[in-house]
Every structure is written in structure tokens, then in C-alpha cells.
Amino acid sequence: MSEQKKPNRREFIVDSSAAIVGASAIGGTTSVSGQKRPAGEGASNASPSFTSPAGSTIPFSRDELLAQGKTRAFTLRRLTEIAFPLGGLGTGTVSLGGGGDLRDWEIFNRPNKGKALPFTFVALWTKKGSEAPVVKVVEAPIQPPFRGADGYPRERAQGLPRFKGATFGGTYPIAEIAFEDDTLPLGVTLEAFNPMIPLEVDDSALPVAIFRYRLTNRADAPVEAALAFSILNPIGYDGRANLGGNRFEGFGQNVTRLRREPPVVGLDLTSQKYEADSVRFGSMALVTTHAEVTARTSWEEGAWWDSFQKWFDEYAADGAFDEARDFGPSEDGVSAYATLAPRLRLAANESKAVEFILAWYFPLRENYWNREPEVRGRKLRNDYGTRFKDAWEVARHTAANLVRLERDTRAFRDTLTGGTLPAAVVDAVSSQMSIIRTNTCLLLEGRRFFAFEGTNDDSGCCPMNCTHVWNYEQALAHLYPELERSMRVTDFKVNLRPDGSMAFRTLVPVGRALWKFKPAADGQMGCILKLYREWQISGDEAFLRDLWPSARRALEYAWVQWDADRDGLMEGEQHNTYDIEFYGPNTMMGTLYLGALLAGERMARAVGDTEAAALYRQVFESGRGKLDREVWRDGYYVQRVPDPGQVKVQEVEQKEAWYASAVDKGALKYQYGEGCLSDQLLGQWFAMVVALGHVLPPEHVRETLRSIYRHNFRTSFFDHPNTQRLYALNDEKGLVLCSWPHGQRPALPFVYSDEVWTGIEYQVAAHLIYEGLVMEGLAITRAVRDRYDGERRNPWNEVECGSHYARALASWSLLLGLSGYEYSAPGARLVFNPRLSTANFRCLFTTGSGWGAYSQQIGRDEADGALELMGGSLVLKEFGFAREALGGPPLTALVNRAPVAARLGDAGIVVFDAPVQLKAGDNLEVRLRRRV
Amino acid sequence: MSEQKKPNRREFIVDSSAAIVGASAIGGTTSVSGQKRPAGEGASNASPSFTSPAGSTIPFSRDELLAQGKTRAFTLRRLTEIAFPLGGLGTGTVSLGGGGDLRDWEIFNRPNKGKALPFTFVALWTKKGSEAPVVKVVEAPIQPPFRGADGYPRERAQGLPRFKGATFGGTYPIAEIAFEDDTLPLGVTLEAFNPMIPLEVDDSALPVAIFRYRLTNRADAPVEAALAFSILNPIGYDGRANLGGNRFEGFGQNVTRLRREPPVVGLDLTSQKYEADSVRFGSMALVTTHAEVTARTSWEEGAWWDSFQKWFDEYAADGAFDEARDFGPSEDGVSAYATLAPRLRLAANESKAVEFILAWYFPLRENYWNREPEVRGRKLRNDYGTRFKDAWEVARHTAANLVRLERDTRAFRDTLTGGTLPAAVVDAVSSQMSIIRTNTCLLLEGRRFFAFEGTNDDSGCCPMNCTHVWNYEQALAHLYPELERSMRVTDFKVNLRPDGSMAFRTLVPVGRALWKFKPAADGQMGCILKLYREWQISGDEAFLRDLWPSARRALEYAWVQWDADRDGLMEGEQHNTYDIEFYGPNTMMGTLYLGALLAGERMARAVGDTEAAALYRQVFESGRGKLDREVWRDGYYVQRVPDPGQVKVQEVEQKEAWYASAVDKGALKYQYGEGCLSDQLLGQWFAMVVALGHVLPPEHVRETLRSIYRHNFRTSFFDHPNTQRLYALNDEKGLVLCSWPHGQRPALPFVYSDEVWTGIEYQVAAHLIYEGLVMEGLAITRAVRDRYDGERRNPWNEVECGSHYARALASWSLLLGLSGYEYSAPGARLVFNPRLSTANFRCLFTTGSGWGAYSQQIGRDEADGALELMGGSLVLKEFGFAREALGGPPLTALVNRAPVAARLGDAGIVVFDAPVQLKAGDNLEVRLRRRV
């Protein structure tokens, strides 16, 4: 390029937009099922922008933000990073790679990123008429780079022919792949899933992965076929070593048997090496409901590649294996590969499905993550370990219940995807709810739910139940409220210290020791709001009464440490989710505190603690005004940072050490001061989620949200110097944690200020939506998901300090915000107030007792709101919808098309004369005159 | 996709040709220097094919094969896998990444793939007039995937702004990068190299990497600039750990000083922790010849990211650092980062270069690779460790000699690239000659050259001097014949056993023990051919006489083990480079044996051992006929595999064990039988390389080569089932080791039969070219290099059983074959007979004493041949060129334009009346009448 010349358009694209060029060139838009066109993939940099109703610049087209329907489809390079987790609550997972491979075997009670079981793959055999048979691994071609000092790894049969292409689609929890190869007479698709049904913990906590391959004969002649599912018997694996073959120190005495127990037949993979109290004790099972199978319980042994070569030659010859005899026990340090090969014939144009159930059973784990001697090395029993005795039983249970499990899973999935939510929102909500079923989370015996913040590649990260990170999570609370309540029990029954401070991490097994570290202001206040939420969702007053005394002490600890003068303004040393301390008033802590006070008032009143209720209200009223006055500036809230000398350090004798680490060149380190903090309305967002309303002036809240979008949402990171951690690069878009639009950036601002966290992006996006800044919220949501496009990163694994990071569970609040969901079990009240597509809206909803679909149609004259209950039950005294659009009577209310008596109450809420009782399958419809 | 519908063309491309679509979309064709257009990149699948003169289908266009000039240029994704090694003979290397980063720090006496030194990078600071200054890392944007459980790694400053794009070019040993960013007033290019001059071992064995950044002011106003080269003081590093920062067990007592010793100024990086006899003892130096510098000998320490943030803020402010004081000694386990920052001003449109010399000095290594107690853990001194006392001295030496070193390096590089060879051949020859300067090879004190076969990621692979793998190598022999001779000394002075068999691997230090394993038939015969080559290249008769007695015993060992009946046909157990044994007659061993006999005859005659000479001739004459008769079939040579019962096992008592491992279902395992083996003319190829002529009937040789091309060159690997190792995938092209075109593939053929090895591809390609099947040879060459395209694999690292695999050094024979090079120092004879571009041909040549350019022009009436000697000296009695085109006298011979007397001798060879003596800078020109 000449020195003077500016690049022309094409050169600019070629030079600077590598990822995008790749994306637009290869991005697939073909939906797997061909149903709806997914929201426009790729080419986002070339997209037109538009101005939102609120005046913001939105760097997407309206279509990109608003297109509804199924989530994305991925091909080619966008397959490479995909690892779709298959597993239940607290069972661990094995992931389905974008091309159809199995990777990240995280079923052994720990994360295991990037590892695979050798020679564990599925291969199709086909023979059409007298043509030569063909064997193809049912996976897409491998994409560059082809690294490896000994060539590209061969341990996953990458050297065998495979399909020419694949399109990966589906929405969590159901993955779909369409394999394509025009040289074959058969078309092949795969659906893979683990049952997931809201509220149904046991059904959603099965240690299985279900694979349904559908073979379709595209030829005009019959075709013979087989599907060989090969697997290493991995019993004895430590869950983290890089296995290169069937030798490993933990192997030995492995036994593999072919069991025919109709309706299932399959491989029972066990080992006699470990006692039941060993963390390596366990079993696996690979079964099919297809009756005609051949199998190998062990591949022939041999030198060099003999074993694999002989396996291939045997299978290639006629798509079958000699009758399998029991294998094992193997010698020490050695295991074996086995193959289960259903065999079938397809008439011309016929289509048949073959189903595999892969089950595992590793009931014990041990605490490897804490150093504290009271808990380190202690064994913990998975809840599923108390329900089954081995993997074979799991497989049989799953097969016996599969019709029901799949029906309800599909209803849940289809309700989530089949509504009117924008595709990127469905994508964000569905993909991230997977976190609760990854190794980030544990479900221990007695259905006690525990969780890391996320996972390192082979260990959990930042144990356990961290109150401030889990502040952002809303999915578990709404999907499995019973499990969320178990976290509150841990918060208040285990982690409350005598002084009222809470250990903000949990040492498991609980009850042996408390974590020693200063309390977190945001986490502790969040726990009060969460308790309120659990009570509202469940209506469980006994639960509230049980925890209230502790919760009260935890809330009032604010007056010891953070708001000593009880003026409703936190000023003390506020340790928080940025792993540092804020000093002085700020709205991030301040709104959480105000929200907690408001929630505390309501809970106190509910349990009859009226004195406390009044006191909380009084502090709240003082604080809400003070906070707004103290830190409102120019469109958003700032932090009032004290001089270091003003800081009251808790333990005076450490003042000097504190000063050395907290002060640099006379200024407090790691504050944000005049910055525009994305999290500055965190407590206000939570208050919206639990329908507590505004804790700061609504007009300031909205202006602040607009400012956050304007100042912190970046449409490129090319010129964003960041010495911190990197979650957005190059041409990507994302919301930074903080910016200083008016200057005065501290020399050393808080340590994550230049980063981009998806959990905060979802929190802000949902909050924008709650306040009617819908396009802004959707733009941020779309930006996140564009960064997780299958080529850059795995769409089913948003990372922060670890994979499957819990903060991203905030994405559930997008659903809450867009539907304007408000639910109170104690009040038997359910209200929707959609922010989008109000004329014709439909979405999933859940409550503590039942779940289903909410829909509304606002016509010219009438407004209809309806519930279809798909699971559980629901009692309603009040029902509200699209209140702004509603007029008055006549009012029609129908349950399963039978009228029930109702009237229009305050604020447009429909009040039933007698509580309406809905059970799964029931409908409620309400029709009102449209407001004119 | 509907079940019946076949995919249309576009869908097919989208589904199945991922790599190619990516390649054609993004492949760069812009040459860095803009000189010549490189041979058409990308879109190779879409290329037209044509039929060669010999009737083969060539799956490229003529232009793709024949385009001359510089090798490839890489952009975008094709930058990602590039690691261009910078280092000298036996010094280790650090690699320049495609985007400008430094990676694979292999200067610590072992391989170290994928590792980087944290915060070691170069950052540009610029300021134009009163505009705000800008800092950009001088690297291209990072390409997806963006993996990392804590986000994308930040340890290499990936979070700082960087250039928008880069184009990587250059030809080994000189790398070139053009960085582009239209937002900057400056254009930046980089040249990086290590001096490499044929025959000059010391000059080519400097432990340095030289970086020259050229800054060009594209603005009409002055621009201030700085280039900050930051580096970790890594003294104490073990050369393999994954460093995440400046803490490591080996660090401590690190000292970094800024030394100003004109003409250099720079950082002297040392440690006081290790004594001189420690393998971790050593030092580094980073100097520049730019006088105006500021520097930091250590970055400020701090919590969290303080250190990097403060460094950035200081540099960003004014492109300079506070005056540096000596740093250290550091506390135990800790080192520090340092920065050297030349500062300059560029007038409008001015261009200036800034040069950095990075030197290292780690004189000792230890044998970590053998288990034998006699050698394991023994320390070995690098040759460079005997020439310098520390890295600072290396840097000063390099700076003092840089003009000369660079001039000669550039002359070598430009002669290689500037001729008329096809670009892919230049690419194959130049890129792979880098192997001799990687960690595959050692240069120990006394200039003793040793080598692995290749390297694992952090250890050498398959030690040492493996005779059969190094059979294929021709580059070292022709570039540094002195070093190649040291390998012959090892072969014959160290590894010959009393019974005449040779240990085919070497235990170092030598002289302590011999490797215990059966001899390799191919390796041992190859050693005889290699000895002959070294004698022909060097003319060193003393060397020959010294080694001849051992060589004779090694040759005649054939009659003990492999050809007991001395009929010239090897029939015994022939262990070979496929790591198994062949049984029965085959031409792979057979041609090596015949070639060895022929070479043996000539050497015997030269040393006066006429009896042996006659005997070898007799066996040769017997064998050449017998071999052809025994195994010629249908267009190529097969292997006559005996029945297991016929095999004479050496040690009778082990017959049973042998049978168990060598026989499967009654057949010998790991043979090729009726297969078409790519290596079947290996010895014939070697005989051509050393001008011994045909050992098998020429018409059979040519037909066999055509068959190998036809049967074994694959244009796609989609349907190539391979249970072995994987070096070619998907749509790639490559030559498989064997095929069975007429069936009869053994159940378990030899263990690498389905693989693709670049070393064999080059051997076959060169052999095709020798026999005039030029297009076939070029097609194979091009196919190899297309697989190493920067996106799939690193163009400067061809892998087989390890990286930088020695067998690929066979690529030098492409140069020999295309130029028809024949040289005999004893005969003082140099002959060229180009196979391509004969009308106007130019290429590099080397001899044992001098090197330079050969060129010829064949006009309508006249034929000119010329030598320009660029280094060393050369004595010639005979000179031949383009013999088929030549006519008779008149003959003109000129040395430096002065006539010398000559006549036309036999076979068109020009014979000088008196030996012509050329020294560097001299020219020889010969002109003859053109044959009509």
C-alpha cells in the first residue's frame, strides 16, 4: 500500500475484519429444521445501525434484533468451538461437539475441558444393493489448524472418512445436527439431549446423554445400514488426564458385558478395581432400544495400529461384529474399547431412528478445591448416587421413562423457542441456563445445591456458593426454586457468623468450618433480596419463618460495618464482586442495600416483625433520598471516594499494612470515582426482578441506563487498551464494566474496569428492557451472543473467571423483563406486562408450583391473555396482563373453556371471585375490552 | 435439506470445502516487496488440471506449478500457524509468529512449542504534531478462536491496541512482515533473520535473532516515534514450563542492566544464581544500534495488573521511560520485565530503520533423552559456548560484523529466490533447510553435528543421527559439508560394531556406549552412499581413507545379514525406516544396496582397494539383473514376501516369540507385497543425487515413477480410510506411502503405509524430476506446500514423527534435480543439466569449497553457461551444462571476462587446459554453438 493512500473499502475489510470476513463468508443461515429463519447471522459489522426510540445508536438492523424463532445454526468453522453440554443437574456432562464428536468428558465429577475418550465415536456403515459398503464417521470434517508434532491426532478416528459437512442447531437442552454427504444414499440427523423439565428435579438430574440418529434412505432402492457406537470403558479414569489410548494407571479389572434386557440391549461397562467408597468407583452403560444389534465388548488387541485396523476391517466388511463375549477383568493399567452396533434396513425413501442412551454413575466426589483441612479431601455424595445403584439401572430407568421425559423436555424447549421472543434472547436464556447442569454446580445428597463461580479447565473455580457472583443468577431460582432455596438455607443456616457477617463462600461438607474472609457488602445484601424472591416464588411461609431471624441479623449487620450511622447510605469498606473494596457512597452497593431494606420490610411484616419492618422502612426512606443527592452527576451516578485518611480501617493495628496495599500516590486504589459503572444500578435491577419497584428516582434510573449504554457499549475493541483480562477483542461489541466519559479516570481503577462480563451485560440489558429501553437491551444481548459464535467461542460456555460462569445466569432476567413477569405465590398473583410484540406475544413462564406458556393478543377491540399450564399446578387469585392496553369490562374468564367469575381490580388486575386452580394441561383465558 | 434433494453446487461448497472456501476468501497474493507475483495462492480445488507430457493428470494449472519468484505471502488466518525459526546452527531458535509476535522460545536447549515469554513484545508509540499519542503493539490482530477459561490470555499484551493487519512474507532465512494500520501516520515493516551463509559454519551458528523495523512517515508533517521492545529476563527458565508471569522456581538473583557501549546500547540480562557448569547458566542481551534510547530495567511491581498498567501509562504518555538503574539481583523465584525503547523523529515522508539484536547464551545442555545410564544426564557443550563468553559478547560480535553477515546472507537468499525455479520449489527448499538450525539438530563443541529425527513439543524425538531417516537429507551435505562429514565420522568411527553392523542411533556423549538394537538395512547401506557423497563434495581423500576400512566392513556386513549368498539381492530380515522389518527381495532396500555397492566400488578403487572394488562390481552386476527380474510387475516393483516358515530368524531360540509378534493369521505382518511403494526407488534416487547413474533399467525406473505418481498421489483424502497417523486430511493432496492398485492389500500392511510423509514426497518429486517427469514432481511439491499454508500448518515446520522432521531435508534434492547438478571435487568437475526453463535458467549452487549462482541462456545459435562465485573458492577442470542443447565449437571460456583455454571433451563437457581457480566474486562464462 502506498504511504499516502488510505485503504479502500475492500482492503479495509481484508485487513481489519478477519473474523467478520470469515463469518460472513461461511456463516450458515440454514435452519436445521427449516422452520424459521434465524436472526441474521454474520456480517454484523456491515449491518446498518438505527436510532432507538430513546435516541440511542443501535449498531444492528432492526431485523437482526427482532427476528424471532429458533436460535442459530452453525456450519464449517462455526462448528469448531461448539461443545453442547449433555447432562443433568449435578451429574456432570459430556459435550457434543459442533461436528458431532463427543468431547469434554466432565462426567467424572470435575471439569475436563479439551479432553476426549480415545476411540469413542459413532460410525455409519451403509450398503446399497450390490455396491461396495461405505463406512463414515458421523462427524463433520475437521477444520484447520491441523496441529500435532506426530501429525493430527488419530485417537478419535479422525483418519476415517467422515461426512462432508454438518449443520449444528437446536436450542438447549436439545441439540440437533444435520449431517450431509451427497455420496451417501442416506441422510443422517442427530438429536441429543438430557431431560430437563422445570421444577422436576429428579427428572432433570439423570446422569445420561440421549442420542437419536435418524437415517433417511434417499435412494429408490433398499439400503442396509449400521451405526457403530464405540466407547472406551473408562472406569478408573481420574477425569482429567489426557488419555492417548486404553492404558492408564487407574484402569484395570475393567469388565464389559453385552446385556440383552428388553426393551434395552447394550454394553455394561464396569470395573472390579474400586470399592464403593472410592471416588473412582462407578460404571457406565451404553444401551439402545433397537433390537437388532451386534457388538464387540473389546476390540482385538495388537501391536501398532492393529487393533483399530482390525476393528475397521471387520466393520467395513459387513457392518456387523462377531457375537461378543464378556470382556475382562482386564489386567492392571489397561482397559478396552467396545462397540455397540445396531443394524437396520431401510426401504426406498424410508426413515428410521436409532436411539442410544449413554448413562454414567460416579456417585462420589471429593473436595479437592479447598485448602482448609476441615473439608479438604472429604467425600461428597452426588444426589443421583442416592437414587440409583449403577449406570445400567440409570439407563434402564431412562429408557422406561423416555417418552414422558422427552415429551415434557420438548414442551419446555418448544415453549421457550416457539414464542415471540427475539432469537438472540432465546439464545441467551436457553444457552446459559445450561450452566446449572455443568460442573460449575453440584447437587449433593438431600438435594442440596452448591456451586462454584465457574470452572477452570480441570477444576472448579472459586468455591462455593459465592454470594456476590450468584447475586446475578436468576435461572435456577425460576426453574428449580427448590434447589435455590437450599442455597438460602446454606446462606443463613450455615454461613452466618455470630457477628451477623456472612461467610460469602461455603466450605463443603457444610458444618465443619466457615470460610475466613471479610464479608461482601453486595453479596450479603443480595442474600436478603434472594430470600425475598424465594419466598415470593414458593409461597413457603415456613421456610421464610425458619430463615428470617438469621436474615434479619445479616441485614442489620450493615449497620455495624457499612452504614454505621443508619442513614441508609453505605460508606464503610465495601468488599464486593470485583474482589476489591469500594469506599464511600456508591449506588452499586447502595441500591442493593435499599432493595434489601425494602425486601426486609416486607418479610418482617409477613412474619409479624412489625418493629423491624418500620425501622427498615425508615432507613430506606432516608437512604433513597440521600443516595440520589450524594452521587448523582451529569446523567449517571458516581462514587464519592474518600481520602485515604478518612477511611476507617476495621483493625487499627493494621492501618499501615492496609495503607501500603490500598493507596498509591496518595489515592485509594481500585475505585471508580467519576466513572460510569455498568453495575451502578445492580440493586435496582434486582428490585425490578422481584417487583419491589424503584429505589431511586425513576427518571434518574432511566437516564442512568441510557448513559451506561451510551458510554460503555463499545462497537469495536481495536482501540480499547486493556491491561486486564480479555473477553472482547477486535471487531467485537460489548459492554465494558466502566468508563470515564468526563475524564478523571483513576491511575489504577478497580481491577476489572476495562473488562467485559456477560453476566453484567445481561443484567444491564434486562434492566434497560425493564425501563422500556428495549432496543438498547437487545443490542447488548445480541453483541454477547455474536461473540459466542462457535468460531470465536463456544455458544454454550460463556466465560468470566472460569467456564460456564454463573453470573451469566442473569440472562434469565431478559425473559422476565421482556415479559414483564411478576409473580407472588403468597399473593397468588401472576402478572405479565410485555415490553415487545405486545399485540401478539407468547413466552414461557415458570412459578414455584407450575410452568407453561403465557400468551396475549391485543386486538382492535379486545385484549386476550391466556395461560397454558404444562407442568405442575398453579393457584391464582389475581391475574394481570398488558395493563396499559386494557380497558374495562365486559370481562370473560375461562378455565378450560368454562367460565369462572372474576372482576377487574385495581391497576387493571383481574381478580377471581374464587381462587383458580390450574393443573398441567389446563388453560386459563381472560378477555377484556381494549382501551381506546 | 429435504430427504430426496441432492445438494446444489453452492451447498456442496459450503458444506464440504471449509478450508478451501476460507483459503480462497482470505488467501493473500500480495507480495511483501511487491516484486513478483507469488504462485497462485488458494482455490487449489478449483484449479484446472492438465495432462503432463508423460500422460499424467496434473491437478494444478501450469501457472500454479511454474510461476517463479518469491515464495508465498500470508495474511489473516494464514498468519496463525506461522512460526518462522530465528537462530543459528546448534543455537536453538525463537520463532517469529505470522502476526509479528515471538513464540516457541527454543533457545534453552530444547524444543518448546506453543510457549511464549510473558510480556515480551514490541510496541510502537507515535505522536503526530499536537495529536494525542498512540500506542500499538506491532502485531496483527488475534484470530479466533478466543479460548481461555479466564478469557483470552493477556500475558502477551493481547489487550493492547495492535495493527489492523499484517502480511507475512520472506524466504528463509529472512522473514518479512508488512504491518498495516490506516489510522497511523507511520507505515511499519519488519525484517527478521539470523545470518546464514553456505559453508560458513561460524557465521551461521550465532545465537541471535536480528529484527529490523522500518518506520515510514506517510504524513506531510513530522512524527515522533518510539519502539519499545519489552522482554522478560528469563535466565533460570527450564525451557519448557508454561510461564504465566515473572515467577518461576528457576528465577532469582536475576540482574538486568542497561549498558551503553557504542555502537550498541541495550539490556544485559543475567542471573547470579547459576554456576557456569549448570545447564541453566546463561545470559541474554537485547541491544540496538540506535543511539537514542530510554529503557526500563524492570517494570514497576504491584498488585493485580498494576505493573502492566503503569508500564503502559508511562509509555503512552511520551514514548519514553525514566532513566533505568540496574535491576537486581532479584529475590528467589522472581524475575522482572525490562524494556528497551529507541526514540526517533521522522520528517514528512521520511523513512528510518531501527535494529534490535537479541542474543542468547546457554552453553550447556544435558542428555535428557536417553535412558542408558552411560549417557543420561551427561552435559554437552554447544559449539557456540566455546566461542563466546556471554550473550553480551555475542550481541557485540554480531553488531560489529552485521554488514558482512547480512550482505552474504542476503546474497544467499536472493540467489535462491531470484532464479528461475518454480516458487513452490524455492519454498520447499528454503523453508525446510531451516531444520538444520532448529532443535532437531545439535552442534556440539568441536563442530560435531548431531541430530534427532525431529522434535516433540518439549523434547527431542528419536535420538540421534538415525541413519535411515537421515538417508533422505541432502541439505546439510550441500550447505555445510564439514558438518555432514562429522556425521560420517560418528557413523563409522563410533557406531560400527565388531561384527560390522552399525548402531543406527548414536548415544551422546559418544564413546561411552553403543545403542543396542538390530541394524537397519536401509540406514547402513545409506551410510555408504553418504560417505561417497561427502567425498565427492569435499574431495577430501584423507577423510575417505580414514573412514574406508570401517565403511568396507559396514558394506560387507550385508553379506552376513541381508545377502548371505552374495547374489546382490537382499533377502534377510531388513529392519528399516518404517520401524519394522521387510522380508524377501524388494527394491527399497535393493536399490540402496546396489547403490552402496557402486559407491563402494568407486571408493575402493580410489583408495587402491582394487580387490574389493572388483568384488563389489561383481555383486552389483549380479544383483541389478536379479532384482529387476525378481520383483518387476505390471509397471512397478513389488516385494516378494516369503512364507513365515522360510524366514531365517537370527536367534533360533526366539523363533516362537518372533512368530507371535511377526505373524498374523499365517502371514507375515507389516509387509507391502504387491503394493506400489513410494519409496521403492529410494536407492535409485540417491544414486541420481550422487551421479552414480541407474542401478535398475532406466525404462523400468521411469515407468515405476509414473506408477507411483498415478497410484499414490491423492487429490483428496475425504475417502482415504487411515487408522494410522494423519498428515493429510480432507481436500488436501499428497503422496501416500503405499497403495495396492491391483488389490492384494495385506490385512496388516507395514505400519505407515497409509500415511503421507513430506520427506518421501520430496524424494519422489525430485526423482520424478531427475527422470524428466517434471510436472509430476512439481505437482507433488506444490501439494506438500499447500498443506503447510499457515492456516492448516506452519510453513516452516513439516512434521512427521516430530516437528522440523529431518526427512524433509530431502527437499534440497529438488534443487539438485531441477538444475541437474553433478559435482565431483576429486574430479574438479561441475555439471548442470536443468530440467526446466532451459532457455533461461538460473539457480543457486553449492560445492564443498564455494557457492554461487549458475545461469544458462540457450539462444537460437548459442548456448551460454555461467558461474558467479559468491563465497569460498572453486577449482574446476571440467564444466558441463545443458548438454543436450549443446553443439560443438567455437567455444569461448572467460574468467572475469578474460579468456581461458578450453576444449569440448566427451559428453559435451568443457575441459579447461589448466584448472580454473575461482574465488568469491569471480565469474566463469562459457559459450558454445547451439545444437541444431
Side-chain angles (χ1 to χ4, degrees), chain B residues 599-928:
Chain B
E601 181 201 10
R602 297 207 185 175
M603 290 187 286
R605 208 171 301 282
V607 299
D609 196 350
T610 50
E611 197 177 337
L615 186 53
Y616 300 157
R617 166 60 63 172
Q618 177 196 322
V619 178
F620 169 76
E621 293 296 345
S622 163
R624 70 190 307 183
K626 263 201 157 160
L627 185 61
D628 187 62
R629 286 191 301 276
E630 288 276 350
V631 293
W632 174 258
R633 299 249 208 305
D634 285 345
Y636 60 87
Y637 293 99
V638 300
Q639 176 197 13
R640 189 153 56 76
V641 183
D643 287 334
Q646 295 175 312
V647 171
K648 181 174 159 248
V649 180
Q650 270 192 283
E651 297 170 53
V652 179
E653 70 275 20
Q654 294 186 353
K655 179 91 183 174
E656 202 168 306
W658 171 84
Y659 195 91
S661 73
V663 180
D664 185 73
K665 302 195 170 91
L668 279 168
K669 289 162 70 168
Y670 309 144
Q671 309 302 300
Y672 68 96
E674 297 297 308
C676 179
L677 184 73
S678 285
D679 252 348
Q680 64 183 288
L681 294 179
L682 178 59
Q684 180 59 75
W685 162 79
F686 208 128
M688 297 307 286
V689 166
V690 294
L692 283 171
H694 286 102
V695 300
L696 285 172
E699 64 281 9
H700 280 182
V701 169
R702 274 191 286 274
E703 191 174 344
T704 296
L705 286 165
R706 269 200 304 272
S707 297
I708 292 170
Y709 178 85
R710 183 183 323 127
H711 299 311
N712 295 359
F713 186 54
R714 299 262 183 283
T715 57
S716 161
F717 284 79
F718 276 120
D719 293 312
H720 176 71
N722 180 6
T723 64
Q724 305 168 9
R725 298 172 306 172
L726 306 174
Y727 303 102
L729 290 162
N730 299 358
D731 58 342
E732 296 181 324
K733 302 179 180 69
L735 188 79
V736 296
L737 263 61
C738 197
S739 69
W740 286 266
H742 310 303
Q744 296 185 260
R745 177 187 160 109
L748 296 169
F750 74 96
V751 292
Y752 303 131
S753 55
D754 297 325
E755 301 183 0
V756 173
W757 294 357
T758 69
I760 290 177
E761 290 177 295
Y762 290 138
Q763 182 265 109
V764 170
H767 202 183
L768 283 160
I769 289 167
Y770 269 113
E771 291 291 347
L773 299 155
V774 178
M775 294 302 160
E776 289 82 350
L778 296 181
I780 292 174
T781 303
R782 169 81 197 213
V784 178
R785 298 307 296 162
D786 278 357
R787 300 202 304 271
Y788 288 83
D789 70 351
E791 179 181 7
R792 301 159 190 261
R793 303 176 187 83
N794 177 8
W796 287 274
N797 176 14
E798 291 183 3
V799 302
E800 190 190 306
C801 186
S803 290
H804 309 291
Y805 198 75
R807 204 186 312 267
L809 288 160
S811 69
W812 193 267
S813 66
L814 295 169
L815 171 60
L816 304 178
L818 274 168
S819 58
Y821 166 97
E822 296 178 14
Y823 176 65
S824 170
R829 184 175 61 253
L830 180 59
V831 175
F832 293 93
N833 191 21
R835 263 68 173 186
L836 193 67
S837 313
T838 49
N840 181 14
F841 183 86
R842 181 181 166 87
C843 76
L844 173 83
F845 78 94
T846 67
T847 72
S849 60
W851 63 277
Y854 166 73
S855 58
Q856 70 177 35
Q857 279 81 35
I858 311 291
R860 209 185 47 162
D861 303 319
E862 288 180 335
D864 286 80
L867 298 180
E868 301 164 51
L869 205 70
M870 296 176 174
S873 61
L874 184 59
V875 177
L876 288 184
K877 294 182 196 162
E878 300 182 5
F879 178 58
F881 65 98
R883 278 175 282 173
E884 288 171 23
L886 297 185
L891 179 161
T892 311
L894 306 166
V895 170
N896 297 336
R897 304 196 178 172
V900 293
R903 63 186 168 81
L904 199 57
D906 295 341
I909 300 284
V910 175
V911 181
F912 302 106
D913 289 2
V916 166
Q917 316 242 0
L918 303 174
K919 60 184 189 308
D922 288 347
N923 297 309
L924 167 67
E925 284 183 74
V926 175
R927 182 171 302 160
L928 281 167

Side-chain angles (χ1 to χ4, degrees), chain A residues 367-383:
Chain A
N367 182 328
Y368 59 78
W369 52 82
N370 283 121
R371 287 164 190 248
E372 287 78 355
E374 297 91 338
V375 294
R376 184 170 182 86
R378 294 276 173 180
K379 288 175 187 161
L380 303 160
R381 185 169 298 275
N382 291 324
D383 189 67

Side-chain angles (χ1 to χ4, degrees), chain A residues 4 15 77 218 349 791, chain B residues 3-4 77 164 791:
Chain A
Q4 298 296 327
D15 277 334
R77 281 203 173 280
R218 302 183 292 203
N349 305 314
E791 179 180 9
Chain B
E3 289 156 6
Q4 297 296 326
R77 280 202 173 280
K164 283 189 175 172
E791 179 181 7

Side-chain angles (χ1 to χ4, degrees), chain B residues 161-185:
Chain B
R162 47 191 54 221
F163 279 71
K164 283 189 175 172
T167 303
F168 190 102
T171 306
Y172 191 83
I174 306 176
E176 300 165 14
I177 307 182
F179 297 97
E180 197 40 67
D181 193 324
D182 61 321
T183 66
L184 290 178

